[in-house]
Amino acid sequence: MWNGQNTFETYKNSTYGKSMKTPKARPTVVLADDHAGIIECVSRLLISDYDIVAAVNDGRKAVEAVMRYSPDVAVFDIAMPKLDGLGAAREVKQRWCNTRIIFLTVHADEDYVVAALESGASGYVLKSSMQSDLVNAIEHALAGRVFVSSYPIGAG
């Protein structure tokens, strides 16, 4: 999946990772994290229910991928090179993009949660709660609701 360089893209016309159960379109996702292991883990977690159209390793590429693919959801890390996730989210939202943004981060500080929501995010998930919370956060975002990880904010 992850090629160890800058991007990962699934082939939209292939059947890789796509369920054959239903003909309806699956939500599309862009992933942005500077750690290849997180990209791999999130990809495995989401691939059965979502089409991952791109995965990138910095904030500037995250904005470019969102503008190129117009995904339903973007999952951004906060701390990324070239442009942090908060800046990337603000830039995406300033361009009137309808993509819903979920932050996936290690930061359990309330100030980060507030900054993320002020940047236009629909969700805030701690990496330590990714297995239990990420899909739930995406579903909330797709339904127009906000989700914040169940981990006690400020306890980390």
Side-chain angles (χ1 to χ4, degrees):
M1 283 183 171
W2 177 257
N3 66 15
Q5 296 177 10
N6 294 333
T7 63
F8 154 93
E9 295 184 30
T10 58
Y11 299 99
K12 288 184 174 182
N13 296 328
S14 77
T15 58
Y16 173 73
K18 295 182 181 177
S19 170
M20 297 299 182
K21 295 178 183 175
T22 177
K24 87 177 190 180
R26 293 164 12 123
T28 54
V29 178
V30 164
L31 303 177
D33 197 297
D34 58 331
H35 296 290
I38 295 295
I39 293 286
E40 285 289 338
C41 187
V42 173
S43 296
R44 282 192 304 271
L45 184 63
L46 301 181
I47 198 70
S48 65
D49 296 314
Y50 304 94
D51 287 334
I52 300 168
V53 295
V56 297
N57 62 1
D58 70 56
R60 182 62 47 214
K61 288 184 178 103
V63 172
E64 292 168 6
V66 169
M67 294 300 112
R68 178 177 180 187
Y69 295 106
S70 298
D72 298 302
V73 176
V75 178
F76 289 176
D77 188 11
I78 285 182
M80 292 188 289
K82 298 187 181 175
L83 179 65
D84 69 18
L86 295 170
R90 283 190 292 272
E91 193 168 324
V92 164
K93 291 303 178 179
Q94 286 173 353
R95 295 183 183 196
W96 297 101
C97 180
N98 291 327
T99 298
R100 297 195 173 80
I101 298 170
I102 307 288
F103 281 101
L104 180 62
T105 182
V106 297
H107 299 288
D109 187 288
E110 187 176 338
D111 290 341
Y112 280 106
V113 176
V114 170
L117 296 177
E118 286 176 350
S119 75
S122 296
Y124 195 92
V125 175
L126 296 171
K127 287 181 178 176
S128 61
S129 301
M130 175 175 46
Q131 295 290 332
S132 61
D133 289 353
L134 185 57
V135 170
N136 199 9
I138 291 172
E139 292 303 314
H140 272 72
L142 291 171
R145 297 185 309 264
V146 173
F147 181 94
V148 175
S149 231
S150 58
Y151 183 82
I153 300 301

